[in-house]
Amino acid sequence: AVALGLGLYFWGIPVVTEMAAARVPVSWEVALGETAVGQLAPPAKRCVDPDRQRHLDEIVAVLLRPLPDARYPFRVTVVDQPMVNAFATPGGFIVIFRGMLERTESAEELAGVLAHEIQHVLHRHATRAILRQSSTGILIAALVGDVSGVVAFGLESARLLGDLRHSREAEHEADRDGMRMLHAARVD
């Protein structure tokens, strides 16, 4: 049972996660991302500046223009915190902290950050992480015979978005394809 469990963990879950992620409807990802942004960047903590939002939307539009089909309704939300960071949730939602905007010296630098986050969405990194986390939880619950664990791991997936740390491979993929996106959009 232990060997079977380890085999499923190291080979089965990654294969199943890849297959499942490819079949998750975009509408499900959008709903999940919308919920996550509501929790992680509540309206009371957002920076609402129509001019800044227009500039952010213009940068995203330039980055997406060369894509044949973006398939996600990309939206950028600015959170009023000095943290120098940004993250993406499933469904095309990008959260950027005010500190990141203050630290960038040009629109091109900001475009680099946004291209990286867009790539996380396009490669479905967060969706895959949620599926992997849920699959691992279900496997553990099945091995120990705890059916209530399955429900707990389903609920844990929402919390996972807040703590999501992409793997080095996912970060490399987002960096590489983000750079390709910048070149395709002719951003210096």
Side-chain angles (χ1 to χ4, degrees):
V2 172
L4 178 62
L6 288 173
L8 285 172
Y9 179 77
F10 286 110
W11 294 287
I13 288 175
V15 169
V16 170
T17 298
E18 289 299 314
M19 290 176 9
R23 288 170 175 74
V24 171
V26 170
S27 61
W28 181 84
E29 287 183 285
V30 170
L32 179 61
E34 202 165 48
T35 300
V37 169
Q39 294 291 319
L40 301 169
K45 293 186 178 185
R46 296 179 188 179
C47 294
V48 182
D49 178 352
D51 289 334
R52 177 177 28 216
Q53 190 63 51
R54 186 175 44 78
H55 289 299
L56 289 168
D57 293 343
E58 287 172 1
I59 292 171
V60 170
V62 166
L63 293 171
L64 295 176
R65 197 169 295 129
L67 294 180
D69 176 28
R71 90 177 168 215
Y72 294 101
F74 285 94
R75 296 180 200 115
V76 179
T77 300
V78 179
V79 174
D80 189 14
Q81 289 186 4
M83 188 183 316
V84 180
N85 202 4
F87 65 88
T89 69
F93 296 88
I94 298 170
V95 175
I96 190 162
F97 294 94
R98 178 181 41 83
M100 176 66 81
L101 293 176
E102 293 171 350
R103 187 69 65 92
T104 56
E105 296 178 9
S106 67
E108 290 79 13
E109 276 186 8
L110 184 55
V113 171
L114 292 171
H116 175 93
E117 298 304 333
I118 287 169
Q119 290 304 318
H120 279 308
V121 173
L122 294 175
H123 287 290
R124 295 178 149 181
H125 290 151
T127 302
R128 288 179 180 162
I130 290 168
L131 291 171
R132 192 169 29 258
Q133 171 77 11
S134 298
S135 299
T136 302
I138 290 168
L139 173 64
I140 291 169
L143 288 175
V144 299
D146 179 13
V147 178
S148 66
V150 174
V151 175
F153 276 100
L155 296 173
E156 183 69 11
S157 295
R159 188 202 59 79
L160 173 68
L161 276 174
D163 297 336
L164 188 62
R165 301 288 182 261
H166 294 293
S167 70
R168 287 182 186 198
E169 181 181 323
E171 288 300 327
H172 173 74
E173 190 173 42
D175 285 341
R176 180 195 66 219
D177 292 346
M179 184 63 77
R180 289 178 180 160
M181 177 176 257
L182 290 169
H183 286 296
R186 300 186 189 277
V187 175
D188 186 354

